[in-house]
Amino acid sequence: MESHEVAELFDRAVEQLRRVVGSGASDGPDDGAGLLRHAADSGAVAVRLAVGKLADPDRVVRGAACDLLGLTGSLHLDAREEAASALIRLAAYESDPEVHWAIARALGDTFDARALPTLVALAGSPHADVRLQVAVAVPAVLDDPPVAAGEAVLIDLCADSDPQVREWATFGLGWASTADGDAVRQALWDRTQDTHPEVRVEGARGLARRRDPRALPLVRWLLAQDEVHPLTFQAAAYLADPTLLPLLDGFDPSVEAVGQALRECDPLLRAQRDESAWLLLNTVHLRRPDLEVAVCGERCDLGLYLDITDGAGRTGHWFVDGLLGRAGNDPERAADLAIADVTAI
């Protein structure tokens, strides 16, 4: 796409966005996002245009430029570093809360760890919509394990006065990140007492994902309610406690979250899965003793994974249940599929 075409799309998007801002309406089909997404397809051309618009005196133009940087970063890996750098520079002197909102949202789309200090600063905004975007964006820029500043800002936002901010921060802390420790667990536990039901179930799921024993009686209580939130079944799966099976009985096992909870809480089914994983690993070793093969579990995750590395440095990583599913639950066939996959890389 030529630069003049990108500029035309941007100008049209600004006019649409200006009408939305003037009417006080929320984002909708005429907020210019579709035009900006089209402009973002151009990659480097879009970044150059957006960077040039960040100094515009019109806040609507600056906000649209931030949106374009975020969209371009989400589509083009090679654009993320430049987009993040421009947004970080803008945040150092920007004072308009509408633009702060756009900066926070766009920084999350860059997945750049350098954005964290800027997001931490924006978390102190008096505007709930800015803090909400920070809560959404922070998990996207955290490394694994997350740095202390990232954990701290999410912990603070978990106790925000706005329930939507609390919900997203609890999701980010408990589910989107692998942060752990006494402060993290206390923040999640506090949210299980929240007045907002969505926040409560996020807190319970986050605790269960860390196998915190305090989650078990809480999940028992949630499963016994007249209406059970889908996240509660995920929490039950992480706890993998057989005492939850009677409470899960009667729910539709064809629902993915219910079926997963039933499988994880049933010791017999878990033992069968472990045996299949062992047979899979052993078959790969017997077929190709030259390959390095391992079965492992990932922290804060369910199930087992198969890892294979060959002498040329080619690697493969499979979710065991998914690989067995491809092979009709035949470990020998699954081993052949894995070997074929890794040698074809």
Side-chain angles (χ1 to χ4, degrees):
M1 194 182 304
E2 298 293 332
S3 57
H4 72 275
E5 295 175 295
V6 176
E8 181 183 351
L9 288 168
F10 182 83
D11 290 343
R12 288 167 55 197
V14 166
E15 291 310 308
Q16 289 190 3
L17 184 58
R18 197 184 307 283
R19 286 194 291 271
V20 171
V21 171
S23 67
S26 60
D27 290 356
D30 298 321
D31 64 357
L35 293 168
L36 290 176
R37 276 192 291 271
H38 190 191
D41 288 337
S42 64
V45 176
V47 171
R48 285 195 298 271
L49 180 139
V51 170
K53 297 291 186 180
L54 293 178
D56 196 284
D58 188 334
R59 70 172 186 171
V60 177
V61 173
R62 298 198 304 278
C66 293
D67 289 343
L68 181 55
L69 286 171
L71 288 166
T72 308
S74 70
L75 293 173
H76 303 277
L77 290 174
D78 57 355
R80 289 177 177 177
E81 182 177 354
E82 186 177 355
S85 296
L87 291 162
I88 292 167
R89 288 195 300 269
L90 174 64
Y93 61 81
E94 180 61 61
S95 61
D96 190 283
E98 294 293 334
V99 183
H100 285 163
W101 180 91
I103 290 171
R105 183 166 74 166
L107 282 173
D109 285 333
T110 69
F111 300 92
D112 194 314
R114 295 175 302 146
L116 183 58
T118 298
L119 291 170
V120 170
L122 291 174
S125 170
H127 301 276
D129 55 348
V130 176
R131 301 194 304 274
L132 174 61
Q133 287 304 320
V134 171
V136 173
V138 165
V141 303
L142 291 181
D143 293 325
D144 187 9
V147 298
E151 291 184 15
V153 72
L154 288 174
I155 288 171
D156 288 345
L157 291 173
C158 280
D160 196 88
S161 59
D162 186 276
Q164 278 194 302
V165 177
R166 295 199 304 276
E167 180 182 347
W168 275 99
T170 307
F171 166 81
L173 185 67
W175 188 253
S177 86
T178 58
D180 203 358
D182 291 343
V184 170
R185 295 188 182 209
Q186 186 59 49
L188 294 171
W189 172 254
D190 289 344
R191 298 286 54 82
T192 66
Q193 317 300 313
D194 202 279
T195 57
H196 190 63
E198 296 290 335
V199 181
R200 288 201 299 270
V201 293
E202 282 290 1
R205 182 174 68 160
L207 273 183
R209 189 171 178 233
R210 287 150 183 82
R211 279 74 172 184
D212 190 299
R214 290 176 293 179
L216 182 56
L218 177 61
V219 170
R220 284 198 191 105
W221 181 81
L222 289 170
L223 286 172
Q225 301 308 298
D226 292 335
E227 293 187 17
V228 179
H229 195 285
L231 299 189
T232 302
F233 298 114
Q234 290 185 325
Y238 275 93
L239 291 171
D241 193 295
T243 64
L244 296 177
L245 286 172
L247 291 167
L248 291 166
D249 185 36
F251 291 103
D252 184 358
S254 67
V255 175
E256 182 178 359
V258 175
Q260 185 180 57
L262 288 167
R263 289 193 301 273
E264 294 297 328
C265 290
D266 190 320
L268 178 59
L269 292 178
R270 289 205 312 276
Q272 291 172 344
R273 179 183 63 197
D274 293 347
E275 178 65 16
S276 294
W278 164 250
L279 290 172
L280 171 58
L281 179 147
N282 199 45
T283 302
V284 172
H285 176 68
L286 291 174
R287 297 268 206 276
R288 292 287 303 273
D290 58 306
L291 299 176
E292 294 183 14
V293 58
V295 169
C296 60
E298 295 189 357
R299 192 168 70 92
C300 292
D301 209 347
L302 295 174
L304 297 170
Y305 292 85
L306 176 74
D307 287 332
I308 297 177
T309 303
D310 72 1
R314 294 175 296 189
T315 63
H317 182 72
W318 300 265
F319 183 50
V320 168
D321 285 354
L323 183 60
L324 286 168
R326 284 174 56 195
N329 291 317
D330 180 347
E332 294 194 1
R333 173 62 180 153
D336 292 336
L337 289 174
I339 292 169
D341 285 349
V342 78
T343 55
I345 294 173

